[in-house]
Amino acid sequence: MDTRFTRGKSNILERPLTRPKTEVSVSAFALLFSEMVQYCQSRVYSVSELQQRLADMGQSVGASMLDVLVLREKNGKRETKVLNILLFVKVSVWKSMFGKEADKLEQANDDDKTYYIIEKEPLINAYISVPKENSTLNCAAFTAGIVEAILTHSGFPAKVTAHWHKGTTLMIKFDEAVIARDKALDGR
Amino acid sequence: MSRQSNRTTDSKKMNAELFTLTYGALVTQLCKDYENDEEVNKQLDKMGYNIGVRLIEDFLARSSVGRCQDFRETADVIAKVAFKMYLGITPSVTNWSPAGDEFSLIMESNPLVDFVELPDNHSSLVYSNLLCGVLRGALEMVQMAVDVKFSQDTLRGDNVTEIRMKFIKRIEENLPAGDE
């Protein structure tokens, strides 16, 4: 932990966190991401391991993103309700990362713990062609990691996985306790 | 190839923060995977090189830049067109060597390092070393061998970030296959 509080070599803590105006080109991101995928691929033996590695990297992105977004978009207030945090992900998180809202947010018919965020053409996958022998591979596992970190760090522990369904679907499975708490809050 | 039609010369833009954080996640992962900073620097350079080799095609297709006549023109194109196009910044070109084979790119801000603070135990990590690889790889594809390295870095307490580029030689074209 001590590394988080190093003496400032830079003025990073003095800088304002207001909305940044800087933009980079999508090609720059696509090329960087492709290198990341290849790097991960060179160190794993299976598709699921590869996805796990991408998700891990996404997690560290999500954790940083959350604080910045809560401060900018929510005046520092965190969400306490499941539906609100999901909408926060669908709207605020997506807009700031990908410039648009996620296409759809749905709840599973048969399970109150499970939700889906559906994206027809996710930016992450725009330049990736999935090889036939690894047809389950979905590099949106990276996005899933981001979402998982955002939910978990907001106090909604969940598992998020990426699937090929109506484009790319992120399946969010909340912990039992999260849903129980949400119902208790409703009951009051 | 059907995509050709809807592709514009203007490249699409995205939020720099996702890019910055993604790069950060990559560097973090490399620091976990490798034992020392030197290895991480090397790996970043290698990945940058791979990117540069592909990026140059994207660049030549999108920009209407022709062949550069000399190294000075190359420097200008890199700073004013390429950096602007991909990272949204325009570094200044300075410190020319008398022979005109060496110059510096000075960056006031570096989009790769927003939010970044180097912990003390990574003092020899060249955080943005990917950029060196990108420049080297891209220029190699237009037959220029160059040496690229960071000589100043705001992350290490310098006032500016400086990339030093040195022209080594022109790579001969049309080498027969298998010839050294």
Side-chain angles (χ1 to χ4, degrees):
Chain A
M1 284 303 278
D2 54 346
T3 52
R4 289 186 58 182
F5 302 104
T6 47
R7 284 156 288 111
K9 273 173 269 181
S10 59
N11 59 350
I12 189 166
L13 297 176
E14 316 290 329
R15 239 181 283 160
L17 269 176
T18 41
R19 194 173 294 281
K21 279 170 220 80
T22 50
E23 286 188 319
V24 298
S25 103
V26 169
S27 325
F29 179 79
L31 287 164
L32 174 69
F33 189 67
S34 134
E35 262 321 296
M36 279 171 61
V37 174
Q38 290 177 56
Y39 169 75
C40 293
Q41 198 169 20
S42 71
R43 301 177 72 96
V44 298
Y45 297 103
S46 70
V47 169
S48 66
E49 269 181 282
L50 172 58
Q51 300 202 111
Q52 188 52 48
R53 263 186 166 250
L54 288 173
D56 287 347
M57 292 207 217
Q59 291 241 356
S60 70
V61 174
S64 320
M65 208 68 166
L66 174 66
D67 287 338
V68 173
L69 285 181
V70 166
L71 204 78
R72 266 187 215 146
E73 317 252 329
K74 298 275 168 195
N75 283 324
K77 274 200 197 134
R78 304 272 176 146
E79 300 294 351
T80 52
K81 302 282 291 173
V82 167
L83 190 58
N84 292 349
I85 189 77
L86 286 169
L87 284 171
F88 172 71
V89 171
K90 176 184 191 271
V91 180
S92 303
V93 174
W94 241 254
K95 266 196 176 155
S96 79
M97 289 199 302
F98 307 123
K100 62 182 271 294
E101 281 184 34
D103 289 336
K104 268 186 205 158
L105 171 65
E106 289 177 1
Q107 179 174 16
N109 288 329
D110 48 349
D111 182 5
D112 59 0
K113 296 192 292 296
T114 307
Y115 290 82
Y116 305 105
I117 290 179
I118 300 165
E119 188 78 298
K120 270 200 228 79
E121 292 172 350
L123 176 70
I124 296 275
N125 282 345
Y127 300 95
I128 295 173
S129 51
V130 177
K132 277 213 178 63
E133 66 271 22
N134 290 342
S135 60
T136 56
L137 170 69
N138 195 329
C139 294
F142 181 73
T143 326
I146 296 178
V147 173
E148 185 170 309
I150 286 177
L151 294 174
T152 306
H153 291 273
S154 305
F156 299 86
K159 272 266 152 253
V160 183
T161 45
H163 305 273
W164 291 113
H165 178 68
K166 298 185 191 167
T168 290
T169 297
L170 301 183
M171 180 166 75
I172 302 172
K173 272 191 186 295
F174 285 107
D175 271 15
E176 205 91 46
V178 170
I179 301 300
R181 184 185 65 198
D182 211 53
K183 285 194 174 135
L185 278 173
D186 266 342
R188 268 214 308 248
Chain B
M1 290 296 110
S2 59
R3 231 182 240 181
Q4 206 74 38
S5 54
N6 54 29
R7 187 195 254 182
T8 56
T9 47
D10 218 20
S11 55
K12 277 201 223 148
K13 298 287 179 195
M14 65 179 280
N15 177 355
E17 276 175 0
L18 179 60
F19 180 72
T20 305
L21 291 171
T22 303
Y23 183 69
L26 172 67
V27 178
T28 313
Q29 186 64 46
L30 292 178
C31 287
K32 279 184 207 153
D33 289 346
Y34 290 95
E35 289 186 356
N36 61 54
D37 293 349
E38 291 305 322
E39 292 287 315
V40 176
N41 294 343
K42 217 182 280 171
Q43 182 63 32
L44 282 172
D45 183 78
K46 194 170 118 193
M47 295 172 89
Y49 177 84
N50 294 341
I51 292 176
V53 167
R54 295 173 66 190
L55 181 130
I56 188 72
E57 285 184 35
D58 185 83
F59 176 73
L60 293 176
R62 286 180 201 279
S63 66
S64 47
V65 174
R67 192 164 269 280
C68 294
Q69 296 306 316
D70 55 20
F71 203 40
R72 279 182 190 268
E73 198 183 336
T74 311
D76 269 355
V77 169
I78 290 172
K80 299 200 179 107
V81 189
F83 267 82
K84 181 107 195 65
M85 185 186 286
Y86 291 103
L87 297 178
I89 54 167
T90 312
S92 49
V93 180
T94 57
N95 292 344
W96 277 98
S97 65
D101 64 345
E102 220 176 311
F103 68 92
S104 295
L105 291 170
I106 307 280
M107 292 191 278
E108 302 280 329
S109 66
N110 173 359
L112 290 182
V113 306
D114 286 333
F115 306 122
V116 177
E117 192 170 1
L118 281 187
D120 287 339
N121 55 346
H122 284 294
S123 51
S124 53
L125 178 69
V126 185
Y127 186 86
S128 318
N129 211 30
L130 187 94
L131 286 182
C132 295
V134 172
L135 288 165
R136 194 165 54 83
L139 289 177
E140 199 173 298
M141 291 299 116
V142 288
Q143 281 86 43
M144 296 173 98
V146 286
D147 182 56
V148 190
K149 56 176 184 288
F150 277 87
S151 53
Q152 291 192 74
D153 193 341
T154 45
L155 283 184
R156 294 141 170 271
D158 298 319
N159 287 326
V160 289
T161 298
E162 174 179 359
I163 299 178
R164 189 78 183 150
M165 298 190 53
K166 183 178 166 51
F167 179 79
I168 302 171
K169 61 167 187 180
R170 179 155 287 279
I171 299 165
E172 289 302 319
E173 283 177 83
N174 304 328
L175 281 179
D179 204 283
E180 267 304 298

